[in-house]
Amino acid sequence: MATLNLTQAAQAVHHAAELLAGVDWLDHDEAHQLEALAEAAVNMFTVIYYQANTGRATHADFREAVSGVRQRLEY
């Protein structure tokens, strides 16, 4: 199961990075429309970054971050 999760997470991070690398510019209105989802994604990436550097992120940290992303995707 851990390998499957790692694969899914790696694919998600790579896919997001590839798509974002193709964005040339967002004007103020476009950025404003994405603000809440971007914040939720940043929170998720922060948990991943924290886990990678300290190993001290908890399951609760991950659940909270995932919940935030899911809530913002449902707008």
Side-chain angles (χ1 to χ4, degrees), residues 2 4 6-7 11 13 15 23 26 30 33 39-40 43 46 48 52 54 57 60 63 65-67 69 72-75:
L4 179 61
L6 174 60
T7 300
Q11 288 175 345
V13 170
H15 187 67
V23 176
L26 293 175
E30 293 167 332
Q33 291 175 20
E39 181 181 12
N43 290 341
T46 300
I48 293 169
T54 69
R63 283 193 303 272
V66 169
S67 176
V69 171
R72 297 306 181 185
L73 285 171
E74 292 176 359
Y75 62 93

Side-chain angles (χ1 to χ4, degrees), residues 23-38:
V23 176
D24 292 325
W25 172 251
L26 293 175
D27 66 26
H28 176 76
D29 292 333
E30 293 167 332
H32 184 70
Q33 291 175 20
L34 295 172
E35 179 182 14
L37 181 57

